[in-house]
Amino acid sequence: MSAPLIAVSGLAMRYPTGRVALTDTSLALAPGELVVILGANGCGKSTMLRCIAGMLKPTGGSVQVAGRRISSLAGRELAEARMALGMVFQNAHLVRRRSVVANVISGTLGRHRGLAITLGRLPESERPFAMTCLNQVGLTAFAEQRAGTLSGGQAQRVSVARALAQRPLALLADEPVASLDPDAAQELMGLLRRLAHDDGLGVLCVLHQPELARRFADRILGMKDGRIQFDTKPAEVKETEVAGLYVKTTETLAA
Amino acid sequence: MNGIAIKTAPGHGAPGAGSRGDGRPRRRSALAFVMIFLGIALFIQAAIVVQARPQDLVTGAAGIADILHRSWPPDFAGLPDALWPALQTIDMGIFGTVVALVFALPLALLAARNTTPARPVYYATRVLIALARVVPDLVWALIFVTAVGLGPFPGALAIVVHSLGMMGRLFSEVIEDMDMGPVEALTMTGASRLAVFSHAVVPSVLPSLLGITLYRLDENIRSSLILGFVGAGGIGFQLLTAMNLFQYRTVSMLLIITFIIVMGAERISAWLRARIA
Ligand SMILES: Nc1ncnc2c1ncn2[C@@H]1O[C@H](COP(=O)(O)OP(=O)(O)OP(=O)(O)O)[C@@H](O)[C@H]1O
Ligand SMILES: [Mg+2]
């Protein structure tokens, strides 16, 4: 296995409310690999992605992204380290009043720090590159349409294109298919796999569909109550192991 | 006499409030009875305090008819002289709104819970905005007239400060209600904080903010008319002067101009707001 893109070790997260969302979680993500995380609601999947992305400060452990310890960075350094990570959320989070291509171009803002661009001008020089990103998700025909008028699946693909425009080394996707129909979900997972296998991106993806995970993942992580339960190849994951993730323990019932 | 009326209201209320504690089943209706009683008492003391005497309206009817008679027909000979103050009134509103807009936008970003850089900044700007808003524009105008002298400029300044308070508050509410998704997404691209504001926050909220500003422009033109009464120039000042000189035909002409300005501002503002929605 090549050197990991993302290395998480002993990660712990305790929210100010006192809720412990992660306890001693470790994982590694290599380039070219699509890893799917499965787990019941509230088991800490989003918390983990947010810690990896530097959106949350973990209360213990460390996160290394491309060799930089992101969990101890702040400000400008954190912003620069984040550029290696493209994030895809459950909802597309597009700026609805802007055109599709404008949304994709805004994915490149980390690389452009001029005054005019900081004050709201789009870096027009990135337009051709944004179009190639849109091409990857098959939406060049929609470039000039307002983002607010897209269907959920189209919007989600645009958000992937925006993440790609960032030229990331890894993609973090939190339930990216939650609002998509089965066909669109397959299509998006296929896209993520292609980005991993053909373009060498590391992809870490949270899903609630074990079938999709088995079909598309190179590796499946099972999470329960803030811990990694198992970390295996899809072919080796037993049905009972997956079912066990969703069995309510007293702890999760209380939550 | 007024003092007695004010005192009697809570005095009558007290026994009713006492009956609330006992008699559990009748508690709701007893409470309702007390509330109605208090409401009536409140209104009666208000009528006494404002010295409401409907009979005065009847005896005053002759006076009103007389004034109406003396204001007719409107004297349009003074129209050319009124045009410049009319423009002043409109421009006080425009100037005040534009300057307030320029300051309200950054202020609102600091005063919105989801975009403020730090808690103390949030509270400080909130207090500043509240202060600008709570003091009526008329009072601001009096302050500025004292500070910079008579004329339209103190009026414009009063409008700037007061609408800064109004717009700052409404803007920050719009920003707080905004969808934070795009902000989070753009933060993740490694963009700077300011770039996230201008590329995610501004495009999302701009139409609402423009709508508020246009509505405010309409309000400001209306209030700049009134500011003239305290010496802040414009058509309000003309109106006051004509009133003091008993030139009622000039007054009626000025009122017609006022009507046209207010209606015009209202229509144009509504039309523009409909266009950007
Ligand atoms: N901001 C927060 N403050 C306090 N507790 C939180 C916060 N965010 C999440 N939690 C708690 O942390 C735990 C893990 O939440 P998290 O969002 O990571 O779950 P998840 O695995 O993503 O669940 P889902 O499948 O529903 O998205 C939950 O018990 C949740 O209530
Ligand atoms: Mg989640």
Side-chain angles (χ1 to χ4, degrees):
Chain A
M1 208 162 95
S2 41
L5 256 180
I6 296 176
V8 175
S9 72
L11 199 65
M13 180 67 203
R14 187 172 185 276
Y15 281 105
T17 56
R19 158 118 18 243
V20 176
L22 290 176
T23 32
D24 195 21
T25 306
S26 300
L27 68 91
L29 180 76
E33 188 183 30
L34 170 56
V35 173
V36 168
I37 304 174
L38 291 176
N41 289 133
C43 74
K45 306 177 297 294
S46 299
T47 304
M48 186 169 72
L49 287 199
R50 296 168 79 84
C51 285
I52 294 175
M55 293 156 87
L56 271 179
K57 279 261 166 288
T59 47
S62 76
V63 177
Q64 304 253 358
V65 174
R68 294 179 81 175
R69 199 183 148 116
I70 204 168
S71 44
S72 54
L73 297 179
R76 175 82 180 255
E77 280 186 325
L78 176 61
E80 277 169 7
R82 269 177 180 157
M83 287 170 62
L85 299 172
M87 188 109 186
V88 178
F89 302 85
Q90 178 172 339
N91 295 309
H93 289 345
L94 301 178
V95 179
R96 299 172 58 81
R97 290 183 167 272
R98 280 190 151 176
S99 72
V100 164
V101 66
N103 270 281
V104 178
I105 293 175
S106 68
T108 70
L109 286 173
R111 295 198 289 280
H112 298 274
R113 297 188 175 268
L115 184 64
I117 284 162
T118 301
L119 292 180
R121 226 176 67 89
L122 284 169
E124 285 299 326
S125 57
E126 297 278 8
R127 188 174 286 267
F129 177 58
M131 290 306 287
T132 63
C133 296
L134 266 181
N135 190 33
Q136 294 220 51
V137 299
L139 285 176
T140 39
F142 292 82
E144 299 304 329
Q145 197 168 317
R146 251 194 193 202
T149 62
L150 295 176
S151 80
Q154 292 165 341
Q156 193 59 288
R157 274 145 69 200
V158 173
S159 83
V160 174
R162 177 178 58 192
L164 292 177
Q166 199 183 318
R167 297 187 208 271
L169 301 174
L171 282 182
L172 305 176
D174 194 355
E175 300 182 36
V177 301
S179 56
L180 306 189
D181 69 34
D183 282 349
Q186 298 264 356
E187 206 177 308
L188 189 80
M189 288 311 296
L191 171 65
L192 293 183
R193 185 167 60 184
R194 191 152 47 80
L195 292 169
H197 294 180
D198 299 354
D199 300 340
L201 266 68
V203 182
L204 191 59
C205 174
V206 171
L207 287 182
H208 278 306
Q209 295 87 347
E211 334 75 64
L212 280 183
R214 283 181 185 282
R215 218 184 123 193
F216 289 97
D218 298 316
R219 197 147 55 89
I220 298 180
L221 294 184
M223 262 187 97
K224 189 169 188 180
D225 298 339
R227 285 174 207 277
I228 306 268
Q229 269 330 76
F230 60 83
D231 177 350
T232 33
K233 294 223 171 342
E236 293 159 15
V237 177
K238 293 189 210 64
E239 203 60 55
T240 50
E241 277 184 311
V242 174
L245 295 176
Y246 300 101
V247 172
K248 295 274 179 284
T249 59
T250 43
E251 198 181 327
T252 36
L253 275 179
Chain B
M1 174 196 163
N2 294 344
I4 295 166
I6 292 167
K7 275 183 197 129
T8 50
H12 280 277
S19 68
R20 220 191 303 170
D22 43 71
R24 291 220 168 253
R26 287 173 53 230
R27 203 166 138 183
R28 278 192 74 85
S29 61
L31 185 65
F33 178 76
V34 171
M35 294 308 278
I36 290 168
F37 190 84
L38 281 178
I40 292 170
L42 195 68
F43 177 74
I44 290 173
Q45 72 83 28
I48 293 170
V49 171
V50 303
Q51 302 175 351
R53 280 192 299 267
Q55 64 271 27
D56 284 8
L57 266 181
V58 181
T59 51
I64 292 171
D66 181 45
I67 287 183
L68 285 180
H69 178 72
R70 280 198 277 161
S71 350
W72 194 260
D75 178 13
F76 284 101
L79 183 63
D81 292 336
L83 289 181
W84 180 249
L87 182 67
Q88 270 186 346
T89 292
I90 297 170
D91 284 348
M92 271 157 69
I94 293 174
F95 178 86
T97 311
V98 172
V99 176
L101 171 67
V102 170
F103 288 101
L105 191 59
L107 215 55
L109 283 171
L110 301 179
R113 211 168 284 123
N114 50 347
T115 54
T116 192
R119 280 268 123 178
V121 178
Y122 167 79
Y123 287 116
T125 44
R126 281 262 140 162
V127 168
L128 206 68
I129 286 172
L131 208 68
R133 189 180 68 246
V134 176
V135 178
D137 44 8
L138 212 55
V139 176
W140 283 121
L142 282 169
I143 294 171
F144 286 125
V145 165
T146 317
V148 305
L150 294 173
F153 188 51
L157 285 179
I159 290 176
V160 168
V161 177
H162 185 65
S163 33
L164 187 61
M166 298 301 268
M167 284 155 79
R169 162 145 176 247
L170 293 174
F171 282 13
S172 61
E173 276 171 10
V174 168
I175 293 171
E176 286 187 347
D177 286 345
M178 176 186 70
D179 172 20
M180 285 303 279
V183 173
E184 210 165 49
L186 285 203
T187 305
M188 279 305 304
T189 67
S192 68
R193 205 183 167 83
L194 192 58
V196 172
F197 282 153
S198 57
H199 287 269
V201 180
V202 173
S204 312
V205 300
L206 202 59
S208 311
L209 301 195
L210 276 181
I212 291 170
T213 306
L214 285 170
Y215 181 71
R216 203 58 232 170
L217 177 65
D218 168 19
E219 298 258 294
N220 283 347
I221 288 176
R222 209 182 336 222
S223 69
S224 80
L225 281 160
I226 297 171
L227 295 187
F229 280 63
V230 296
I235 208 152
F237 191 63
Q238 301 283 103
L239 205 53
L240 183 73
T241 313
M243 288 271 226
N244 287 342
L245 298 176
F246 305 109
Q247 296 166 344
Y248 291 112
R249 292 180 54 204
T250 308
V251 169
S252 60
M253 180 270 291
L254 291 171
L255 283 179
I256 290 171
I257 294 182
T258 303
F259 180 82
I260 292 171
I261 292 175
V262 171
M263 288 306 287
E266 206 174 283
R267 300 290 350 131
I268 292 172
S269 158
W271 182 76
L272 283 173
R273 269 180 285 146
R275 302 281 321 228
I276 57 165

